Structures are given as structure tokens and as C-alpha cells.
Amino acid sequence: MTRFVDRLKFIRWTKYTRRMCQATITLHLEFAALVDRAVAAGWRADEVLTTIIELGDNHALMLAANADLEAALSILKKRP
């Protein structure tokens, strides 16, 4: 992993791309461990991955809904 990270230092990255790459590197081992634990518990890998995708999608929707609610509440609080 260190060699890979060292190679990344030579590539010109936008701030967003660099941040996403760092997130991928940071989360990869935890993600793989989660999948391994679920498979060891008896779930098929395709079931685990489908569930993780669904959880991610639902979480993204929840974050968006919370942001919308906060924006609406902010507008209401400004009203006399």
C-alpha cells in the first residue's frame, strides 16, 4: 500500500480527487473486513454487496432529506 501511496504523490490531483482517493484508501480495509465478516456469518458475497449498496443509497437519501429539512427550518426561523 505504501508504494501505491508514494506513486500518488507524483500525480497532479484536484482537491476533490485527492480527497476521494484518500477516502478510498482509508475505507478499503474496513470495507473488505465487513464483507469478510458477513460472508463468514453465512451470507453470500452478492447478498452482502447488494445490501451495502442499498444501505449506502438509503443513507445518502437520509442525508439529503436532513439537509432539506434544515434549510426549510432555517427559512421558517427567519420569518417574523
Side-chain angles (χ1 to χ4, degrees):
M1 180 79 72
T2 302
R3 289 181 187 165
F4 175 72
V5 173
D6 288 340
R7 287 183 202 156
L8 291 178
K9 292 176 184 174
F10 296 106
I11 300 173
R12 250 190 136 153
W13 297 93
T14 65
K15 185 177 181 180
Y16 175 79
T17 304
R18 184 180 301 112
R19 186 167 171 78
M20 292 305 296
C21 187
Q22 289 169 338
T24 299
I25 291 168
T26 302
L27 295 174
H28 174 74
L29 294 177
E30 292 297 325
F31 175 80
L34 174 63
V35 173
D36 290 344
R37 285 194 310 271
V39 170
W43 299 97
R44 292 191 328 260
D46 63 318
E47 294 172 320
V48 174
L49 295 173
T50 300
T51 301
I52 290 171
I53 291 167
E54 185 175 340
L55 287 169
D57 188 46
N58 288 341
H59 194 76
L61 291 170
M62 183 221 32
L63 292 175
N66 285 347
D68 290 347
L69 180 59
E70 288 296 324
L73 288 173
S74 175
I75 291 169
L76 289 174
K77 288 176 184 177
K78 291 178 183 176
R79 289 187 177 174

Coordinates of all heavy atoms in Angstrom, one line a residue:
M1 N 0.8 -1.2 0.0 CA 0.0 0.0 0.0 C 0.9 1.3 0.0 O 0.5 2.2 -0.6 CB -0.9 0.0 1.2 CG -1.9 1.2 1.3 SD -3.3 1.2 0.2 CE -4.3 -0.1 1.0
T2 N 2.0 1.2 0.7 CA 2.8 2.4 0.8 C 3.4 2.8 -0.6 O 3.4 4.0 -0.9 CB 4.0 2.1 1.7 OG1 3.5 1.8 3.0 CG2 4.9 3.4 1.9
R3 N 3.8 1.8 -1.4 CA 4.3 2.1 -2.7 C 3.2 2.8 -3.6 O 3.5 3.7 -4.3 CB 4.8 0.9 -3.4 CG 6.0 0.3 -2.9 CD 6.4 -0.9 -3.6 NE 7.6 -1.5 -3.0 CZ 8.0 -2.7 -3.2 NH1 7.4 -3.4 -4.1 NH2 9.1 -3.2 -2.6
F4 N 2.0 2.3 -3.4 CA 0.8 2.9 -4.2 C 0.7 4.4 -3.8 O 0.5 5.2 -4.6 CB -0.4 2.1 -3.9 CG -1.7 2.7 -4.5 CD1 -1.8 2.7 -5.9 CD2 -2.6 3.3 -3.7 CE1 -3.0 3.2 -6.5 CE2 -3.7 3.9 -4.3 CZ -3.9 3.8 -5.7
V5 N 0.7 4.6 -2.5 CA 0.5 6.0 -2.0 C 1.7 6.8 -2.4 O 1.5 8.0 -2.8 CB 0.4 6.0 -0.4 CG1 0.4 7.4 0.1 CG2 -0.9 5.2 0.0
D6 N 2.9 6.3 -2.4 CA 4.0 7.1 -2.9 C 3.9 7.5 -4.4 O 4.2 8.6 -4.7 CB 5.3 6.3 -2.7 CG 5.7 6.2 -1.2 OD1 5.3 7.0 -0.4 OD2 6.5 5.3 -0.9
R7 N 3.4 6.6 -5.1 CA 3.1 6.9 -6.6 C 2.1 8.0 -6.7 O 2.2 8.8 -7.7 CB 2.7 5.6 -7.3 CG 3.8 4.6 -7.5 CD 3.3 3.5 -8.3 NE 4.1 2.3 -8.1 CZ 3.8 1.1 -8.2 NH1 2.6 0.8 -8.6 NH2 4.6 0.1 -8.0
L8 N 1.1 8.0 -5.9 CA 0.1 9.0 -6.0 C 0.6 10.4 -5.8 O 0.1 11.4 -6.3 CB -1.0 8.7 -5.0 CG -1.9 7.5 -5.2 CD1 -2.9 7.4 -4.0 CD2 -2.6 7.6 -6.5
K9 N 1.7 10.5 -5.1 CA 2.3 11.9 -4.8 C 2.7 12.5 -6.0 O 2.8 13.8 -6.1 CB 3.4 11.7 -3.8 CG 2.9 11.3 -2.4 CD 4.1 11.1 -1.5 CE 3.6 10.6 -0.1 NZ 4.7 10.3 0.8
F10 N 3.1 11.8 -7.1 CA 3.6 12.3 -8.3 C 2.5 12.7 -9.3 O 2.8 13.4 -10.3 CB 4.5 11.4 -9.0 CG 5.8 11.1 -8.1 CD1 5.9 9.9 -7.5 CD2 6.7 12.1 -8.0 CE1 7.0 9.7 -6.7 CE2 7.9 11.8 -7.3 CZ 8.0 10.6 -6.6
I11 N 1.3 12.4 -9.0 CA 0.2 12.7 -9.9 C -0.5 14.0 -9.5 O -0.6 14.3 -8.3 CB -0.9 11.5 -9.9 CG1 -0.2 10.2 -10.3 CG2 -2.1 11.9 -10.8 CD1 -1.1 9.0 -10.2
R12 N -0.8 14.8 -10.5 CA -1.5 16.1 -10.1 C -3.0 15.8 -9.9 O -3.7 15.3 -10.8 CB -1.4 17.0 -11.3 CG -0.5 18.1 -11.0 CD -0.6 19.1 -12.1 NE -0.6 20.4 -11.4 CZ -0.3 21.5 -11.9 NH1 0.2 21.5 -13.2 NH2 -0.3 22.6 -11.3
W13 N -3.4 16.1 -8.8 CA -4.8 15.8 -8.4 C -5.5 17.1 -8.0 O -4.9 18.0 -7.5 CB -4.8 14.9 -7.1 CG -4.2 13.6 -7.3 CD1 -2.9 13.3 -7.0 CD2 -4.8 12.4 -7.8 NE1 -2.7 12.0 -7.3 CE2 -3.9 11.4 -7.7 CE3 -6.1 12.1 -8.2 CZ2 -4.1 10.1 -8.1 CZ3 -6.4 10.8 -8.6 CH2 -5.4 9.8 -8.6
T14 N -6.8 17.1 -8.3 CA -7.6 18.2 -7.8 C -7.8 17.9 -6.4 O -7.7 16.8 -5.9 CB -9.0 18.3 -8.6 OG1 -9.7 17.1 -8.3 CG2 -8.8 18.5 -10.0
K15 N -8.3 18.9 -5.6 CA -8.5 18.7 -4.2 C -9.6 17.7 -4.0 O -9.4 16.8 -3.1 CB -8.9 20.1 -3.6 CG -9.1 20.0 -2.1 CD -9.5 21.4 -1.5 CE -9.6 21.3 0.0 NZ -10.0 22.7 0.5
Y16 N -10.6 17.7 -4.8 CA -11.7 16.7 -4.6 C -11.2 15.3 -5.0 O -11.5 14.3 -4.2 CB -12.9 17.0 -5.6 CG -13.9 16.0 -5.6 CD1 -14.9 16.0 -4.6 CD2 -14.1 15.1 -6.6 CE1 -15.9 15.0 -4.5 CE2 -15.1 14.1 -6.6 CZ -16.0 14.1 -5.6 OH -17.0 13.1 -5.5
T17 N -10.4 15.1 -6.0 CA -9.9 13.8 -6.4 C -9.0 13.3 -5.4 O -9.1 12.1 -5.0 CB -9.2 13.9 -7.8 OG1 -10.0 14.5 -8.8 CG2 -8.7 12.5 -8.3
R18 N -8.1 14.1 -4.8 CA -7.2 13.7 -3.8 C -8.0 13.2 -2.6 O -7.7 12.2 -2.0 CB -6.2 14.8 -3.4 CG -5.2 14.4 -2.4 CD -4.3 15.5 -2.0 NE -3.5 16.1 -3.2 CZ -3.7 17.3 -3.7 NH1 -4.6 18.1 -3.2 NH2 -3.0 17.7 -4.8
R19 N -9.0 14.0 -2.2 CA -9.8 13.6 -1.0 C -10.5 12.3 -1.2 O -10.6 11.5 -0.3 CB -10.8 14.8 -0.7 CG -11.5 14.6 0.5 CD -12.2 15.9 0.9 NE -13.1 15.8 2.0 CZ -12.8 15.7 3.3 NH1 -11.5 15.7 3.6 NH2 -13.7 15.5 4.2
M20 N -11.1 12.1 -2.4 CA -11.8 10.8 -2.7 C -10.8 9.7 -2.7 O -11.2 8.6 -2.2 CB -12.6 10.9 -4.0 CG -13.7 11.9 -4.0 SD -14.9 11.6 -2.6 CE -15.5 10.0 -3.1
C21 N -9.7 9.8 -3.2 CA -8.7 8.8 -3.2 C -8.3 8.4 -1.8 O -8.1 7.3 -1.4 CB -7.5 9.2 -4.0 SG -6.3 7.9 -4.3
Q22 N -8.1 9.4 -1.0 CA -7.7 9.2 0.4 C -8.8 8.5 1.2 O -8.6 7.6 2.0 CB -7.4 10.5 1.1 CG -6.1 11.1 0.7 CD -5.9 12.6 1.2 OE1 -6.9 13.3 1.5 NE2 -4.7 13.0 1.2
A23 N -10.0 8.8 0.9 CA -11.2 8.1 1.5 C -11.2 6.7 1.1 O -11.5 5.8 1.9 CB -12.5 8.8 1.1
T24 N -11.0 6.4 -0.2 CA -11.0 5.1 -0.7 C -9.9 4.2 0.0 O -10.1 3.1 0.4 CB -10.7 5.0 -2.2 OG1 -11.8 5.8 -2.9 CG2 -10.7 3.6 -2.8
I25 N -8.7 4.8 0.1 CA -7.6 4.1 0.7 C -7.9 3.8 2.2 O -7.7 2.7 2.7 CB -6.3 4.8 0.6 CG1 -5.8 4.8 -0.9 CG2 -5.2 4.3 1.5 CD1 -4.7 5.8 -1.2
T26 N -8.5 4.8 2.9 CA -8.8 4.7 4.3 C -9.9 3.7 4.5 O -9.8 2.9 5.5 CB -9.2 6.1 4.8 OG1 -8.1 7.0 4.6 CG2 -9.5 6.0 6.3
L27 N -10.9 3.7 3.7 CA -12.0 2.8 4.0 C -11.9 1.4 3.4 O -12.7 0.5 3.8 CB -13.3 3.5 3.4 CG -13.7 4.8 4.1 CD1 -14.9 5.4 3.4 CD2 -14.0 4.5 5.6
H28 N -11.0 1.2 2.5 CA -10.9 -0.1 1.8 C -10.8 -1.3 2.7 O -11.5 -2.3 2.6 CB -9.8 -0.1 0.8 CG -9.6 -1.4 0.1 ND1 -10.5 -1.9 -0.8 CD2 -8.7 -2.4 0.3 CE1 -10.1 -3.1 -1.2 NE2 -9.0 -3.4 -0.5
L29 N -9.8 -1.2 3.6 CA -9.6 -2.4 4.5 C -10.8 -2.6 5.4 O -11.2 -3.8 5.7 CB -8.3 -2.1 5.4 CG -7.1 -2.1 4.6 CD1 -5.9 -1.8 5.5 CD2 -6.8 -3.4 3.8
E30 N -11.4 -1.6 5.9 CA -12.6 -1.7 6.8 C -13.8 -2.3 6.0 O -14.5 -3.2 6.5 CB -13.0 -0.4 7.4 CG -12.0 0.1 8.4 CD -11.9 -0.8 9.6 OE1 -12.9 -1.4 10.1 OE2 -10.7 -0.8 10.1
F31 N -13.9 -1.9 4.8 CA -15.0 -2.4 3.9 C -14.8 -3.9 3.6 O -15.7 -4.7 3.8 CB -15.0 -1.6 2.6 CG -16.0 -2.2 1.6 CD1 -17.3 -1.9 1.7 CD2 -15.5 -3.0 0.5 CE1 -18.2 -2.4 0.7 CE2 -16.4 -3.5 -0.4 CZ -17.7 -3.2 -0.3
A32 N -13.5 -4.2 3.3 CA -13.2 -5.7 3.0 C -13.4 -6.5 4.2 O -14.0 -7.6 4.1 CB -11.8 -5.8 2.5
A33 N -13.1 -6.0 5.4 CA -13.3 -6.7 6.6 C -14.8 -6.9 6.9 O -15.2 -8.0 7.4 CB -12.6 -6.0 7.8
L34 N -15.6 -5.9 6.6 CA -17.0 -6.0 6.8 C -17.6 -7.1 5.9 O -18.4 -8.0 6.4 CB -17.7 -4.7 6.5 CG -19.2 -4.7 6.6 CD1 -19.8 -5.0 7.9 CD2 -19.7 -3.3 6.1
V35 N -17.2 -7.1 4.7 CA -17.7 -8.1 3.7 C -17.3 -9.5 4.2 O -18.1 -10.4 4.2 CB -17.2 -7.8 2.3 CG1 -17.5 -9.0 1.4 CG2 -17.8 -6.5 1.8
D36 N -16.0 -9.6 4.6 CA -15.5 -10.9 5.1 C -16.3 -11.4 6.3 O -16.6 -12.6 6.4 CB -14.0 -10.8 5.4 CG -13.1 -10.7 4.2 OD1 -13.6 -10.9 3.1 OD2 -11.9 -10.3 4.4
R37 N -16.6 -10.5 7.2 CA -17.3 -10.9 8.4 C -18.7 -11.4 8.0 O -19.2 -12.4 8.6 CB -17.4 -9.8 9.4 CG -16.1 -9.6 10.2 CD -16.3 -8.7 11.4 NE -17.0 -7.4 11.1 CZ -16.4 -6.3 10.8 NH1 -15.1 -6.2 10.6 NH2 -17.1 -5.2 10.6
A38 N -19.4 -10.7 7.1 CA -20.7 -11.1 6.7 C -20.7 -12.4 6.0 O -21.6 -13.3 6.2 CB -21.3 -10.0 5.9
V39 N -19.7 -12.6 5.1 CA -19.6 -13.9 4.4 C -19.4 -15.0 5.4 O -19.9 -16.1 5.3 CB -18.6 -13.8 3.3 CG1 -18.3 -15.2 2.7 CG2 -19.0 -12.9 2.2
A40 N -18.5 -14.8 6.4 CA -18.2 -15.8 7.4 C -19.4 -16.1 8.2 O -19.5 -17.2 8.8 CB -17.0 -15.3 8.3
A41 N -20.3 -15.2 8.4 CA -21.5 -15.4 9.1 C -22.6 -16.1 8.3 O -23.7 -16.5 8.8 CB -22.1 -14.0 9.6
G42 N -22.3 -16.4 7.1 CA -23.2 -17.2 6.3 C -23.9 -16.5 5.1 O -24.6 -17.2 4.4
W43 N -23.7 -15.3 4.9 CA -24.3 -14.6 3.8 C -23.4 -14.7 2.5 O -22.2 -14.9 2.6 CB -24.4 -13.1 4.1 CG -25.3 -12.8 5.3 CD1 -24.9 -12.6 6.5 CD2 -26.7 -12.8 5.3 NE1 -26.0 -12.4 7.4 CE2 -27.1 -12.5 6.6 CE3 -27.7 -12.9 4.3 CZ2 -28.4 -12.4 7.0 CZ3 -29.0 -12.8 4.7 CH2 -29.4 -12.6 6.0
R44 N -24.1 -14.8 1.4 CA -23.3 -14.8 0.1 C -22.8 -13.4 -0.2 O -23.3 -12.4 0.2 CB -24.2 -15.3 -1.0 CG -24.7 -16.7 -1.0 CD -25.4 -17.1 -2.3 NE -26.1 -16.1 -3.0 CZ -27.4 -15.9 -2.9 NH1 -28.2 -16.6 -2.2 NH2 -28.0 -14.9 -3.6
A45 N -21.6 -13.4 -0.8 CA -21.0 -12.1 -1.1 C -21.9 -11.2 -1.9 O -21.9 -10.0 -1.7 CB -19.6 -12.3 -1.9
D46 N -22.6 -11.7 -2.9 CA -23.5 -10.9 -3.7 C -24.6 -10.3 -2.8 O -25.0 -9.1 -3.0 CB -24.1 -11.6 -4.9 CG -25.0 -12.8 -4.5 OD1 -24.6 -13.5 -3.6 OD2 -26.0 -13.0 -5.2
E47 N -25.1 -11.0 -1.8 CA -26.1 -10.5 -0.9 C -25.5 -9.4 -0.1 O -26.2 -8.3 0.1 CB -26.6 -11.6 0.0 CG -27.4 -12.7 -0.7 CD -27.7 -13.9 0.2 OE1 -26.8 -14.3 1.0 OE2 -28.8 -14.4 0.1
V48 N -24.3 -9.6 0.4 CA -23.7 -8.6 1.2 C -23.5 -7.3 0.4 O -23.8 -6.2 0.9 CB -22.3 -9.1 1.8 CG1 -21.6 -8.0 2.5 CG2 -22.5 -10.3 2.6
L49 N -22.9 -7.4 -0.8 CA -22.7 -6.2 -1.6 C -23.9 -5.5 -2.0 O -24.0 -4.3 -1.9 CB -21.8 -6.6 -2.8 CG -20.4 -7.1 -2.5 CD1 -19.8 -7.7 -3.7 CD2 -19.6 -6.1 -1.8
T50 N -25.0 -6.3 -2.3 CA -26.3 -5.6 -2.6 C -26.8 -4.9 -1.4 O -27.3 -3.7 -1.6 CB -27.3 -6.7 -3.1 OG1 -26.8 -7.3 -4.3 CG2 -28.6 -6.1 -3.4
T51 N -26.7 -5.5 -0.3 CA -27.2 -4.8 1.0 C -26.4 -3.6 1.3 O -26.9 -2.5 1.7 CB -27.1 -5.8 2.1 OG1 -27.9 -6.9 1.8 CG2 -27.6 -5.2 3.4
I52 N -25.1 -3.6 1.1 CA -24.2 -2.4 1.4 C -24.6 -1.3 0.4 O -24.7 -0.2 0.8 CB -22.7 -2.8 1.3 CG1 -22.3 -3.7 2.5 CG2 -21.9 -1.6 1.2 CD1 -21.0 -4.3 2.4
I53 N -24.8 -1.6 -0.9 CA -25.2 -0.6 -1.8 C -26.6 0.0 -1.4 O -26.7 1.2 -1.4 CB -25.3 -1.2 -3.2 CG1 -23.9 -1.6 -3.7 CG2 -26.0 -0.3 -4.2 CD1 -23.9 -2.4 -5.0
E54 N -27.5 -0.8 -1.0 CA -28.8 -0.3 -0.6 C -28.7 0.5 0.7 O -29.3 1.6 0.8 CB -29.8 -1.5 -0.3 CG -31.2 -1.0 0.0 CD -32.1 -2.2 0.2 OE1 -31.9 -3.3 -0.3 OE2 -33.2 -2.0 0.9
L55 N -27.8 0.1 1.6 CA -27.6 0.9 2.8 C -27.0 2.3 2.5 O -27.4 3.3 3.0 CB -26.7 0.2 3.8 CG -27.3 -1.0 4.5 CD1 -26.2 -1.8 5.2 CD2 -28.4 -0.6 5.5
G56 N -26.0 2.3 1.6 CA -25.4 3.5 1.1 C -26.4 4.4 0.5 O -26.4 5.6 0.7
D57 N -27.2 3.9 -0.4 CA -28.2 4.7 -1.1 C -29.2 5.3 -0.1 O -29.5 6.5 -0.1 CB -29.0 3.8 -2.1 CG -29.9 4.6 -3.0 OD1 -29.4 5.7 -3.5 OD2 -31.0 4.2 -3.2
N58 N -29.7 4.5 0.9 CA -30.6 4.9 1.9 C -30.0 6.0 2.8 O -30.6 7.0 3.1 CB -31.1 3.8 2.7 CG -32.1 2.9 2.0 OD1 -32.7 3.3 1.0 ND2 -32.3 1.7 2.5
H59 N -28.7 5.8 3.1 CA -28.0 6.8 3.9 C -27.9 8.1 3.2 O -28.1 9.2 3.8 CB -26.7 6.3 4.3 CG -26.1 7.1 5.4 ND1 -26.5 7.0 6.8 CD2 -25.1 8.0 5.4 CE1 -25.8 7.8 7.5 NE2 -24.9 8.4 6.7
A60 N -27.6 8.1 1.9 CA -27.4 9.3 1.1 C -28.8 10.0 1.0 O -28.9 11.2 1.1 CB -26.9 9.0 -0.3
L61 N -29.9 9.3 0.8 CA -31.2 9.9 0.8 C -31.5 10.5 2.1 O -32.1 11.6 2.2 CB -32.3 8.8 0.4 CG -32.2 8.3 -1.0 CD1 -33.2 7.1 -1.1 CD2 -32.6 9.4 -2.0
M62 N -31.2 9.9 3.3 CA -31.4 10.4 4.6 C -30.7 11.7 4.8 O -31.2 12.7 5.3 CB -31.0 9.4 5.7 CG -31.3 9.9 7.1 SD -30.1 9.6 8.4 CE -28.5 9.6 7.6
L63 N -29.4 11.7 4.4 CA -28.6 13.0 4.5 C -29.2 14.1 3.7 O -29.3 15.2 4.1 CB -27.1 12.7 4.1 CG -26.3 11.8 5.0 CD1 -25.0 11.5 4.4 CD2 -26.2 12.3 6.4
A64 N -29.7 13.8 2.5 CA -30.3 14.8 1.6 C -31.6 15.3 2.2 O -31.8 16.5 2.2 CB -30.5 14.3 0.2
A65 N -32.4 14.4 2.8 CA -33.6 14.8 3.4 C -33.4 15.7 4.6 O -34.1 16.7 4.9 CB -34.4 13.6 3.8
N66 N -32.3 15.3 5.4 CA -32.0 16.1 6.6 C -31.5 17.5 6.2 O -31.9 18.5 6.8 CB -30.9 15.4 7.4 CG -31.4 14.3 8.2 OD1 -32.6 14.1 8.3 ND2 -30.5 13.5 8.7
A67 N -30.7 17.6 5.1 CA -30.3 18.9 4.6 C -31.5 19.8 4.2 O -31.5 21.0 4.4 CB -29.3 18.7 3.5
D68 N -32.4 19.1 3.5 CA -33.6 19.8 3.0 C -34.4 20.3 4.2 O -34.9 21.5 4.2 CB -34.5 18.9 2.1 CG -33.9 18.7 0.8 OD1 -32.9 19.4 0.4 OD2 -34.4 17.7 0.1
L69 N -34.6 19.5 5.2 CA -35.3 19.9 6.4 C -34.6 21.0 7.1 O -35.3 22.0 7.5 CB -35.5 18.7 7.3 CG -36.2 18.9 8.6 CD1 -37.6 19.4 8.4 CD2 -36.2 17.7 9.5
E70 N -33.3 21.0 7.3 CA -32.6 22.0 7.9 C -32.7 23.4 7.2 O -32.9 24.4 7.8 CB -31.1 21.7 8.0 CG -30.8 20.6 9.1 CD -31.1 21.0 10.5 OE1 -30.9 22.2 10.8 OE2 -31.6 20.2 11.3
A71 N -32.7 23.3 5.8 CA -32.9 24.5 5.0 C -34.3 25.1 5.2 O -34.5 26.3 5.4 CB -32.6 24.2 3.6
A72 N -35.3 24.2 5.2 CA -36.7 24.7 5.4 C -36.9 25.3 6.8 O -37.5 26.3 7.0 CB -37.7 23.5 5.2
L73 N -36.3 24.6 7.8 CA -36.4 25.2 9.2 C -35.7 26.5 9.3 O -36.1 27.4 10.0 CB -35.8 24.2 10.2 CG -36.6 22.9 10.4 CD1 -35.8 21.9 11.3 CD2 -37.9 23.3 11.1
S74 N -34.6 26.7 8.6 CA -33.8 27.9 8.7 C -34.7 29.0 8.1 O -34.7 30.2 8.6 CB -32.5 27.8 7.9 OG -31.9 29.0 7.8
I75 N -35.4 28.7 7.0 CA -36.3 29.7 6.4 C -37.4 30.1 7.3 O -37.7 31.3 7.5 CB -36.8 29.2 5.0 CG1 -35.7 29.2 4.0 CG2 -37.9 30.1 4.5 CD1 -36.0 28.4 2.7
L76 N -38.0 29.1 8.0 CA -39.1 29.3 8.9 C -38.7 30.2 10.1 O -39.4 31.0 10.6 CB -39.7 28.0 9.3 CG -40.5 27.3 8.3 CD1 -40.9 25.9 8.8 CD2 -41.7 28.1 7.8
K77 N -37.4 29.9 10.6 CA -36.9 30.6 11.7 C -36.7 32.1 11.4 O -36.8 32.9 12.4 CB -35.6 30.0 12.3 CG -35.8 28.7 12.9 CD -34.5 28.0 13.3 CE -34.7 26.7 13.9 NZ -33.4 26.0 14.2
K78 N -36.5 32.4 10.2 CA -36.2 33.8 9.8 C -37.5 34.6 9.6 O -37.5 35.8 9.6 CB -35.4 33.9 8.5 CG -34.0 33.4 8.7 CD -33.2 33.4 7.4 CE -31.8 32.8 7.5 NZ -31.1 32.8 6.2
R79 N -38.6 33.9 9.5 CA -39.9 34.6 9.4 C -40.3 35.3 10.6 O -40.1 34.8 11.7 CB -41.0 33.7 8.9 CG -40.8 33.2 7.5 CD -42.0 32.4 7.1 NE -41.8 32.0 5.7 CZ -42.7 31.1 5.1 NH1 -43.7 30.6 5.7 NH2 -42.5 30.8 3.8
P80 N -40.9 36.5 10.5 CA -41.4 37.2 11.7 C -42.6 36.5 12.4 O -43.3 35.8 11.9 CB -41.8 38.6 11.2 CG -41.8 38.5 9.7 CD -41.1 37.2 9.3

